[in-house]
Amino acid sequence: MNSFAIYRMPHAQCCTLVEGEAVTLPSLATLHTLTGFIVAPFVASPQTPIVVIRPDRPARSVQEGEQIALPTNLFTHLPLGEKLGEGLPTYAADFATFHRALDKGEFQKLVLARQCSVPRRPERHPADVFQLACRLYPRMFIALVSTPITGTWLIASPEILIEHNADHWHTIALAGTKREGQQQDWTHKDMEEQRHVATYIAECLNHRAHDIVQEGPYTVGAAHLLHLRTDFTFKLNDGEQLGSVVEALHPTPAVCGLPKAEALHFIVEHEHAPRTYYSGFMGPVAINEGDGPQTHLYVSLRCMQITQHDDRLYAGGGLLPESEEQTEWLETEAKMETMRRLLDVER
């Protein structure tokens, strides 16, 4: 097995396994011509290219609880890279840099991400962690992906970048975070963050689609967290394709900022830890899941990179001028709990 992706759609009772050769794509423009599983980074580069696993056989359905025969040497060719600073002091330095730019009015919003590492126990095989994620998080898209180019990643994402099934197109705006069970109303900061994302998506679609229906925002659960969500269903204009819409949407302000191009450049220049494939996107493209070819691309959130030595957890949060460091740090901690729980729970 050269490369593989195994994924479970929200609320599904079985998983889908895609196996084949991993190849790089120069851009997303030809996405509509492909069949396979795509893994895209936050920013494409020679070190973190866009990768697609081209199936060398039909995708296979895997029943819940079925033993998954995956390779044991998933970590041999991982691009481990330089070990960068972790913890609150590093985050505080980045927060100060980002907040100064917001205070100066250079940006409406910036998203600040961080990482932390957990020593990896050799007996904890990624296939077992994937199955545990499927059990614990039935409402989320779960995927375990391994290629020699990207390394091995596990995600449990609540955020749809774009879906396509027959003539049905769907995307969402997802922003704002609080713990499930909290009684307080959504804050002004949460509502503003959600408004920025929804407005950006609506503007993107207005130039490329018609019959657009917008619903929300409303509250949804994802693991132990709650988010604000707005749904968009639409039909593409003549001449528009999957790749052109994805290029316009990614990265959304939910993981980047506004104005988008300037925020993207600022993040790449100033975040201590390169995001690589965190806050990119992944999912099946034109994979036949029984009801015809389907495309389900999810933003790579609540994720970890599985290396020979550790599990690297990633999380981020949207900053506005009124954001406070301690509150934002605690939000990233809450988001990392989704992956930490998979590493701590006895099985």
Side-chain angles (χ1 to χ4, degrees):
M1 185 186 298
N2 183 9
S3 299
F4 72 87
I6 186 166
Y7 62 93
R8 201 282 323 271
M9 298 299 301
H11 306 293
Q13 297 302 310
C14 63
C15 310
T16 303
L17 177 64
V18 178
E19 305 168 68
E21 181 185 8
V23 298
T24 61
L25 299 180
S27 75
L28 297 169
T30 60
L31 201 54
H32 66 284
T33 68
L34 302 177
T35 297
F37 192 97
I38 190 166
V39 186
F42 178 61
V43 178
S45 71
Q47 293 74 37
T48 55
I50 305 164
V51 174
V52 62
I53 302 173
R54 296 183 181 273
D56 55 17
R57 69 196 77 175
R60 183 168 73 88
S61 178
V62 179
Q63 298 302 314
E64 185 175 356
E66 180 181 339
Q67 288 295 316
I68 308 170
L70 299 179
T72 57
N73 60 335
L74 298 180
F75 320 104
T76 306
H77 303 293
L78 288 181
L80 295 179
E82 180 184 2
K83 187 73 169 179
L84 295 172
E86 299 178 5
L88 183 55
T90 299
Y91 181 82
D94 282 354
F95 181 91
T97 301
F98 279 52
H99 204 262
R100 277 194 300 271
L102 289 163
D103 279 341
K104 292 177 182 177
E106 296 175 11
F107 302 97
Q108 295 170 269
K109 173 184 176 177
L110 286 170
V111 176
L112 174 58
R114 54 175 281 251
Q115 66 169 251
C116 76
S117 62
V118 178
R120 197 179 72 82
R121 296 203 304 266
E123 72 275 11
R124 185 197 293 128
H125 193 275
D128 299 328
V129 183
F130 168 80
Q131 291 185 325
L132 179 61
C134 290
R135 294 198 300 272
L136 293 183
Y137 306 131
R139 298 178 291 190
M140 303 169 81
F141 174 78
I142 313 296
L144 174 65
V145 183
S146 185
T147 80
I149 303 168
T150 63
T152 302
W153 291 78
L154 176 71
I155 77 165
S157 178
E159 184 171 350
I160 299 163
L161 180 65
I162 196 165
E163 293 185 310
H164 180 216
N165 181 7
D167 196 34
H168 175 79
W169 292 85
H170 177 219
T171 186
I172 70 171
L174 193 77
T177 302
K178 65 179 179 179
R179 288 183 178 273
E180 202 165 33
Q182 282 185 319
Q183 298 302 314
Q184 68 258 36
D185 294 333
W186 289 104
T187 66
H188 176 264
K189 184 259 184 184
D190 291 322
M191 298 298 294
E192 279 295 288
E193 192 179 347
Q194 167 66 10
R195 184 181 64 81
H196 284 315
V197 179
T199 299
Y200 174 83
I201 291 175
E203 290 174 352
C204 286
L205 295 179
N206 284 337
H207 298 294
R208 297 168 177 83
H210 60 281
D211 293 349
I212 302 168
V213 177
Q214 179 174 340
E215 296 181 302
Y218 58 97
T219 301
V220 294
H224 58 289
L225 301 176
L226 299 175
H227 303 286
L228 286 167
R229 169 171 165 165
T230 302
D231 286 75
F232 299 84
T233 55
F234 55 95
K235 296 180 180 178
L236 285 186
N237 294 339
D238 292 342
E240 294 288 346
Q241 302 286 356
L242 174 64
S244 62
V245 181
V246 171
E247 284 184 318
L249 291 175
H250 174 70
T252 72
V255 296
C256 181
L258 288 170
K260 175 177 171 176
E262 292 82 354
L264 187 63
H265 178 76
F266 186 91
I267 289 168
V268 171
E269 287 293 311
H270 292 96
E271 275 186 351
H272 267 86
R275 297 188 186 187
T276 66
Y277 290 91
Y278 164 69
S279 68
F281 64 89
M282 64 175 68
V285 177
I287 293 290
N288 194 328
E289 299 177 15
D291 298 320
Q294 298 187 32
T295 295
H296 303 279
L297 302 183
Y298 278 74
V299 181
S300 300
L301 302 178
R302 313 296 187 271
C303 71
M304 65 179 169
Q305 184 184 20
I306 302 170
T307 80
Q308 281 180 304
H309 308 290
D310 58 18
D311 297 317
R312 299 185 180 182
L313 282 56
Y314 293 78
L319 307 186
L320 301 181
E322 62 264 38
S323 294
E324 298 177 347
E325 177 193 312
Q326 182 66 14
T327 301
E328 299 300 332
W329 167 265
L330 291 175
E331 180 176 318
T332 64
E333 285 286 286
K335 289 174 176 176
M336 284 182 175
E337 281 182 25
T338 302
M339 286 291 124
R340 284 195 179 110
R341 188 179 178 194
L342 301 177
L343 304 178
D344 293 339
V345 171
E346 293 294 330
R347 294 188 293 282

